[in-house]
Amino acid sequence: MVQLEEVEDEEFDRVQVGEKAYNDDDDFTDTDSEISSDDLPLAEPSESLTDRILALRDMVPPSARRRIVAGYDALKTYTWSGLMLGGKTMWVVSTSALLLGVPFALALVEEQQVVEMEKEQRMREMGNEVSLAGVGR
């Protein structure tokens, strides 16, 4: 039977000039360990949400902030103007409908009552004519 023996090459292990000694264990991270970052308690942030939002202001250049604010102001102005115009329009339409529509509706109902009364009167007259014609025989 053959027996194998490992022979190490001394030239391979020797550090060359200008090269730093390299350790394979420096790149190794244990991903299977029982302690994970999920198990660690979360530290309470020392800054509030307002502080974080205000810190975002420093990230946006002043020229971009001016454009954003100008766009927001324009949108706010157009929205406010549109809502005011819409409200005034709705006021005009609703008051006009009340001032013109209610009297028209009342006149229409009154006209229908007059037509019904005339129909009823004609039916009575026809009934009287039929009953008088039946008595005369």
Side-chain angles (χ1 to χ4, degrees):
M1 179 169 200
V2 178
Q3 190 173 14
L4 294 176
E5 181 180 330
E6 183 179 353
V7 177
E8 291 192 21
D9 189 6
E10 294 173 0
E11 289 293 318
F12 182 73
D13 291 336
R14 193 181 76 179
V15 177
Q16 295 181 3
V17 178
E19 183 179 305
K20 189 171 84 170
Y22 179 73
N23 188 357
D24 285 340
D25 292 339
D26 290 342
D27 293 336
F28 178 73
T29 55
D30 186 13
T31 57
D32 296 332
S33 69
E34 294 182 18
I35 299 174
S36 68
S37 62
D38 295 338
D39 296 339
L40 296 176
L42 295 175
E44 291 294 322
S46 61
E47 56 189 359
S48 67
L49 180 62
T50 311
D51 295 336
R52 288 178 176 223
I53 291 174
L54 289 175
L56 289 175
R57 180 173 49 183
D58 298 333
M59 294 175 66
V60 179
S63 60
R65 280 188 293 197
R66 280 191 291 274
R67 281 195 314 262
I68 291 170
V69 169
Y72 172 76
D73 287 340
L75 178 66
K76 184 174 72 170
T77 302
Y78 288 134
T79 302
W80 182 255
S81 299
L83 289 174
M84 290 300 291
L85 180 65
K88 289 178 183 180
T89 303
M90 290 301 294
W91 171 256
V92 168
V93 168
S94 63
T95 54
S96 298
L98 287 173
L99 291 175
L100 298 174
V102 171
F104 178 73
L106 291 174
L108 188 64
V109 168
E110 186 178 336
E111 182 66 28
Q112 286 177 347
Q113 288 176 348
V114 168
V115 169
E116 288 293 324
M117 285 175 42
E118 288 176 355
K119 269 187 186 179
E120 188 177 315
Q121 186 67 27
R122 272 189 259 132
M123 294 289 261
R124 282 188 194 153
E125 289 175 2
M126 289 173 71
N128 285 340
E129 288 177 8
V130 171
S131 64
L132 289 175
V135 172
R137 280 189 188 192

